[in-house]
Amino acid sequence: MITKALRMYAANDIRLEEFELPDIKDDEILIKIICDSVCMSTYKCVKQGEKHKRVPSGISEKPVIIGHEFAGQIVKVGKKWQNEFQPGERFAQQPQIPGQLDTPGYSYQYYGGDTQYAIVPNEIIEKGCLLHNKGSYFEASIAEPVACCVAGFHKMYHSIPESYEHAYGNKPGGNLIIMGGCGPMGLAAISYALCTENKPKRVVVTDINDERLAHAEQVLPMEDARKHGIELLYVNTSSMDDQVQGLLALTDGHGYDDVFIFAPVRSMAEVGDQILADDGCMNIFAGPADNQFSGEVNLYNVHYSGHHYVGCTGSLISDLKEVVEKSAKGFMKPAVMITHIGGINAARDVTINLPSTPGGKKLLYMQIELPLTAIEDFRELGKTDPLFRKLADSCDAHNGLWNAEAEEILLDHFNQ
């Protein structure tokens, strides 16, 4: 079978090209990729090439397919897996494979997200990383980054009175703050906070940009949170004379039981430390680029107030399954992360220029050709293009978000 894919030959050398896939073995599965969302981790991989710990040597001769946040359809199933998977069904993918460094989008010659067709190796399936999906393609595609947010919630912990054991997860009925929370990952975290079983009493989201705060409130309205019995507040901390006192006042002086740091900024983390409640937990969620990143922590409060700290990277298969299931049932809104749509022809430029491209997640449909287009531009383009007019109508009906109906409109237009 001929496929078109974006392959890496060396650092900063990625090429969109056609080539032939081999026939699948009895323990493999052939898949059709419908969409892949572009991750900053892929950009970092492309910048490093073989220096990246997940990229094998010799890619100049055996290039790897990049992209790891993808979803699509099963096309053909090897004999070993015919009782578990069926041609035509939808799948989701957990890219972090237990017990190995080899990862789709980094390590495999025939398995990644930026391709029209791919071959799932046996070890991926055996480890339970190819998942059934009953929801939309795009929600399954971005389930992995959302799952990282879910993992962040699961890693929080609090003390159990008269016990040395801990209760894991954010504190039910507590005060929760997401600092620097109006970027794509922060929005995903807010969406999960509104549907987690450990329902908080209050969720405070901070940023220093009014435009980002307004967008967050548009896609995740405070009124929707009230329907879940949660007080949701969006706060611009740059307008506060004293951030610590201003944020504490929102909790009537109680402090925050759960603090998430969504930007690797020392001053932000230090404020987070100062607003922790007794037995509070702070999660340094954003990954620092500086391996000397540090800040001041009140060690007195560690001793007497039970403050504790965690870090978080990646997710478990159970986290991804939770996202897929809650998204399919409409409990979560992964679409809050997405700001741009494009086709396979946009994959190379988007990946190379990702840090300088504004907006949130870029979602690319591998079976079509479409320039990278911001959702906010659909209405203007729709004045001359009927496709974008339909897409604009659909997104406007969903708080400006990409959605399953819009995805169907797009795929039907291109007969996919």
Side-chain angles (χ1 to χ4, degrees), residues 360-375:
K361 276 286 185 182
K362 282 72 182 176
L363 181 69
L364 305 181
Y365 285 85
M366 293 295 110
Q367 304 296 322
I368 69 174
E369 293 200 355
L370 184 74
L372 185 69
T373 308
I375 294 174

Side-chain angles (χ1 to χ4, degrees), residues 116-138:
Q116 293 175 322
Y117 295 90
I119 296 174
V120 189
N122 178 64
E123 67 262 25
I124 305 292
I125 312 168
E126 280 191 334
K127 293 179 178 179
C129 295
L130 187 69
L131 308 176
H132 302 279
N133 171 36
K134 295 183 179 179
S136 66
Y137 293 114
F138 81 88

Side-chain angles (χ1 to χ4, degrees), residues 83-103:
N83 290 331
E84 186 169 342
F85 294 94
Q86 300 298 319
E89 72 168 296
R90 300 185 178 195
F91 73 84
Q93 164 69 43
Q94 165 61 285
Q96 294 191 353
I97 315 303
Q100 66 178 60
L101 276 178
D102 287 350
T103 305

Side-chain angles (χ1 to χ4, degrees), residues 179 208 237 243-244 247 261 263-275 282 293-296:
M179 303 187 71
I208 58 173
T237 52
Q243 282 193 42
V244 172
L247 292 172
I261 306 299
V265 178
R266 174 174 176 163
S267 59
M268 181 184 294
E270 290 178 342
V271 169
D273 174 67
Q274 295 176 67
I275 62 177
M282 185 165 79
F293 180 72
S294 61
E296 291 189 7

